[in-house]
Amino acid sequence: MLCQSCNKNNATIHFTKIINGNIEETHLCDQCAQKNNDFDLDFPFPFQKIFTGLISSAQEGQPEFKNISCPKCGLTYKKFLEGGRFGCNECYEAFKEDVESLLKGIHGHTEHKGKIAVRANNKILNKRAINSLRKELEESIVKEDFERAAFLRDEIKRLSCDISSQGCDKND
């Protein structure tokens, strides 16, 4: 696709604006995008800036962040905020308290659920079903729907027995 502005270079920036339900798409090359005043972005635009911007907006009005660092790689929280990247896998644990609410706001949860392969074995499928049933069980208890809670408890027990390598006594 050619740039809409110069009609010479390939469009590398694809921008969609939705204002009051009206969709406007713009396709520009890097040079024309830098000249365009509609984009208030630094080019090249690194993805990390989106993440650090979210962190900064989430922490506005909060006192100065803690002076913590990752015990494995030594990355400080301040450096993380500047770059938007963790240094190693242990950074997730080191900064967990500060980024957990942010991740929950972005994804709606802090647990990676991912997709399940069609050929996944029953053990994985049953574990997921048990987790879902446990959440439903908690909701039923809060609603004081004890009949439903008892059914869910029995279903959780049945699925747990199915995935257990030792098996269970179905009458427990």
Side-chain angles (χ1 to χ4, degrees):
M1 173 181 286
L2 286 177
C3 173
Q4 286 177 282
S5 181
C6 68
N7 289 321
K8 294 177 187 172
N9 301 323
N10 283 331
T12 56
I13 307 294
H14 307 278
F15 188 74
T16 302
K17 280 199 280 188
I18 303 172
I19 300 173
N20 295 330
N22 296 323
I23 299 172
E24 181 182 320
E25 292 186 358
T26 305
H27 308 279
L28 300 172
C29 65
D30 288 344
Q31 293 82 18
C32 292
Q34 288 178 3
K35 295 174 191 171
N36 191 322
N37 291 332
D38 284 349
F39 303 115
D40 187 22
L41 304 171
D42 294 329
F43 286 95
F45 186 74
F47 179 76
Q48 295 88 350
K49 283 195 169 188
I50 294 173
F51 193 65
T52 57
L54 289 171
I55 293 170
S56 297
S57 65
Q59 295 184 336
E60 277 183 24
Q62 292 187 0
E64 189 70 23
F65 52 84
K66 298 173 226 163
N67 188 17
I68 54 175
S69 61
C70 175
K72 183 176 180 183
C73 69
L75 180 75
T76 63
Y77 190 67
K78 184 178 180 183
K79 286 283 185 191
F80 162 68
L81 291 177
E82 292 171 1
R85 288 184 182 180
F86 288 131
C88 68
N89 60 336
E90 290 190 21
C91 287
Y92 291 98
E93 275 302 315
F95 307 130
K96 181 179 180 179
E97 186 179 309
D98 296 296
V99 297
E100 195 168 76
S101 63
L102 173 68
L103 293 174
K104 191 170 186 174
I106 294 170
H107 298 292
H109 51 81
T110 57
E111 178 183 329
H112 177 69
K113 295 184 179 176
K115 294 180 179 179
I116 298 177
V118 175
R119 296 175 292 179
N121 66 26
N122 284 340
K123 194 172 184 177
I124 294 171
L125 296 173
N126 284 350
K127 282 184 178 181
R128 289 240 172 151
I130 289 169
N131 287 336
S132 176
L133 290 172
R134 282 188 176 139
K135 289 176 184 171
E136 196 175 337
L137 175 64
E138 289 174 16
E139 291 171 8
S140 295
I141 292 170
V142 169
K143 292 178 186 173
E144 297 182 3
D145 184 358
F146 299 114
E147 196 170 311
R148 175 81 180 147
F151 169 78
L152 293 168
R153 177 203 63 210
D154 294 343
E155 190 65 14
I156 290 168
K157 186 182 286 184
R158 186 187 65 77
L159 290 172
S160 297
C161 288
D162 286 348
I163 62 173
S164 171
S165 60
Q166 299 169 349
C168 298
D169 183 6
K170 302 282 182 184
N171 297 324
D172 283 344

